[in-house]
Amino acid sequence: ICIKDLQEEFMGGAPIIVSEPVVSFRETVTADSTQICLSKSPNKHNRLYVTASPFAEGLAEAIDNGDINAKDDFKIRGRKLAEEDGWDVTEARNIWSFGPNTDGPNTVVDVTK
């Protein structure tokens, strides 16, 4: 859509040669987020407040290598994250998901008390 808009609206219909990206696109979190983001369910009965925080050094690699994964027992995984990476045990046991593709080095964690 963006390429089409660029070609039609800004380049007067001139052709654009499109190729695969040379560098894969990646984002990373380098510091705790300063904003709290809000997401509401379609029926407006549920709200998620989200912040982002970086992983400890080496944790993303441990997840990529399979040392820590979604299939591990949550109590064992929680203890391992607490001892090796400084996580709160309760938070480490409340990981909702790993991503992308259920095994990547990103997590969604329920930190409600």
Side-chain angles (χ1 to χ4, degrees):
I1 293 173
C2 293
I3 300 288
K4 181 179 178 256
D5 290 346
L6 177 65
Q7 184 175 11
E8 292 175 359
E9 295 178 21
F10 298 103
M11 297 186 62
I16 297 176
I17 299 170
V18 179
S19 65
E20 290 296 316
V22 177
V23 177
S24 62
F25 180 73
R26 304 230 177 181
E27 293 184 25
T28 189
V29 176
T30 57
D32 288 346
S33 59
T34 58
Q35 285 184 307
I36 297 175
C37 299
L38 168 66
S39 177
K40 295 180 185 177
S41 64
N43 65 6
K44 309 271 192 284
H45 290 166
N46 303 297
R47 295 177 181 201
L48 291 177
Y49 296 92
V50 180
T51 60
S53 300
F55 278 153
E57 191 70 35
L59 180 54
E61 291 79 12
I63 295 171
D64 272 340
N65 295 335
D67 298 335
I68 297 172
N69 65 61
K71 295 177 180 138
D72 292 339
D73 178 78
F74 74 98
K75 289 183 179 179
I76 295 169
R77 182 180 59 224
R79 180 65 50 208
K80 188 173 186 178
L81 287 169
E83 290 172 357
E84 296 176 9
D85 298 301
W87 282 47
D88 177 76
V89 175
T90 307
E91 291 178 6
R93 291 180 179 176
N94 289 326
I95 295 176
W96 280 1
S97 68
F98 288 83
N101 303 324
T102 69
D103 63 354
N106 298 299
T107 59
V108 175
V109 182
D110 178 7
V111 294
T112 56
K113 302 288 182 200

